[in-house]
Amino acid sequence: MTEERQFGWSNMFVAPEDDPRSQEGYRGERAVLVGYLDDYRKTLELKCAGLDAEQLARRSVEPSTMSLLGLIRHLAGVEHYWFRIHMAGYDGPRLYRSGDDRDEDFNGAVGDPEVVREAWETWRAEVAFAEEYVAAAPDMGFTGAKGDELRGILVHMIEEYARHMGHADLLRERIDGRVGQ
């Protein structure tokens, strides 16, 4: 007999009144782009909340190396690449990438509390850098060090998070059945 799934607020992440994401519409280009990106960043944190290191590192299905911890590391690397390297002109190594392993973000996502701590610390530092960078930009047409326009980078980042939050939905559902939002 197959167990019938039931969906409702009981297996969602937070009740609507406790949701940290914006419940209001955004007005103006900067507010829309920054607001949606901020909401996706908060969604990543919601999808990972309450899980231990082993759960965060749990792979989806063979042969995939995807995990929630891998997504945290990957998105830290994406934030770093687009804001710190492309926009600000940082000339240093990329995060979670080496010559031998271009997928170090996922391959190195192991169920060790120290790896989890470092991943969150790195992601939060990159988000903070990006937020400060965007806040200081004079307008959405501002061009970064590598010739990219800020509005295009923000749209790309929204797309990147949106894509991966779909993955996070499935990963979290596999871990403990929590869905949605």
Side-chain angles (χ1 to χ4, degrees):
M1 183 171 148
T2 305
E3 183 179 323
E4 190 173 319
R5 299 277 323 248
Q6 293 191 355
F7 294 94
W9 288 114
S10 65
N11 63 348
M12 294 289 202
F13 291 95
V14 293
E17 62 272 12
D18 297 327
D19 195 329
R21 296 165 296 184
S22 176
Q23 304 301 311
E24 304 296 321
Y26 299 110
R27 299 186 56 79
E29 182 183 27
R30 182 182 294 260
V32 167
L33 295 175
V34 170
Y36 273 93
L37 181 54
D38 182 59
D39 283 347
Y40 275 118
R41 289 169 173 155
K42 288 175 181 167
T43 301
L44 175 65
E45 292 182 292
L46 283 172
K47 300 288 180 192
C48 298
L51 298 177
D52 64 25
E54 182 280 321
Q55 290 169 315
L56 285 169
R58 193 175 297 166
R59 309 289 191 208
S60 57
V61 292
E62 294 294 331
S64 177
T65 59
M66 190 171 292
S67 66
L68 288 168
L69 179 56
L71 287 175
I72 297 164
R73 291 163 52 100
H74 174 71
L75 290 166
V78 170
E79 295 269 1
H80 179 262
Y81 180 73
W82 287 107
F83 290 107
R84 200 176 291 271
I85 294 174
H86 264 258
M87 293 303 289
Y90 172 73
D91 186 25
R94 291 186 57 185
L95 294 176
Y96 306 118
R97 250 183 203 219
S98 65
D100 298 340
D101 189 358
R102 290 180 43 92
D103 291 324
E104 193 176 306
D105 44 4
F106 291 101
N107 294 334
V110 296
D112 176 338
E114 183 57 25
V115 173
V116 172
R117 186 202 60 72
E118 184 276 332
W120 278 121
E121 185 177 283
T122 300
W123 179 78
R124 287 185 177 110
E126 293 305 322
V127 167
F129 177 86
E131 288 173 339
E132 290 171 17
Y133 186 88
V134 172
D139 58 58
M140 293 293 99
F142 180 75
T143 301
K146 304 249 184 198
D148 300 286
E149 196 174 83
L150 181 57
R151 79 172 42 86
I153 298 300
L154 289 169
V155 169
H156 174 70
M157 292 299 295
I158 292 166
E159 178 273 332
E160 183 82 18
Y161 273 88
R163 175 176 185 248
H164 290 308
M165 290 311 96
H167 298 131
D169 278 337
L170 296 172
L171 289 161
R172 182 63 188 248
E173 186 175 6
R174 247 180 95 76
I175 293 167
D176 66 3
R178 292 179 85 183
V179 297
Q181 287 178 273

